[in-house]
Structure formats: structure tokens, C-alpha cells
Amino acid sequence: PSLGANIAIIAGMIAAIAIVLICLLIVMLRYMYRHKGTYHTNEAKGTEFAESADAALQDDPSLQDTGENSRKEYFI
């Protein structure tokens, strides 16, 4: 009788570990699927068709009152 009880306990532990691993795999796959390639940029609208960075920044309304045009600074 004790040999059958030991086998049942071992089988129950293996089944519990397998269920936990399957649940973790499902959670990880769901997280990776939902967050795949999602990012937001704060670029000005319409700048992707500009000939150069100067032309794109010249038409940006938030940069209209920056002062002189001789000093240009770009952040990448």
C-alpha cells in the first residue's frame, strides 16, 4: 500500500509542476504577443516626406519661436 501511495504523490507533483509550467508559458506568450513592436514616437506629423532634416524642422510649429537659425542642434 505505501508503494502505491508514493507513486500517486510523485505523479501528482509531476502533474502540478507541468500545469504550472504550461500556465507560465501561456502568460509569457500572451505578454510577448501583446507588446510586440508597440512603441510611440513624438515626431512631428508630415516630416517623413521632407527632403532633409532642416526642411522637416523648419515647418514644425513647436520650433517656430526658437530664435536664430544659424545654430542648429539635432537630437538622435
Side-chain angles (χ1 to χ4, degrees), residues 46-60 72 74:
T47 58
E48 61 268 4
F49 301 114
E51 296 101 27
S52 66
D54 290 334
L57 291 174
Q58 228 170 8
D59 297 332
D60 189 6
K72 295 175 184 154
Y74 301 102

Side-chain angles (χ1 to χ4, degrees), residues 28-53:
M28 284 182 9
L29 289 175
R30 183 176 177 204
Y31 177 79
M32 288 172 54
Y33 176 74
R34 295 186 97 187
H35 296 294
K36 181 180 177 183
T38 57
Y39 61 93
H40 302 284
T41 60
N42 294 325
E43 295 177 1
K45 303 287 187 228
T47 58
E48 61 268 4
F49 301 114
E51 296 101 27
S52 66

Side-chain angles (χ1 to χ4, degrees), residues 1-14:
S2 69
L3 182 61
N6 288 341
I7 292 175
I9 291 173
I10 292 172
M13 292 297 291
I14 291 173

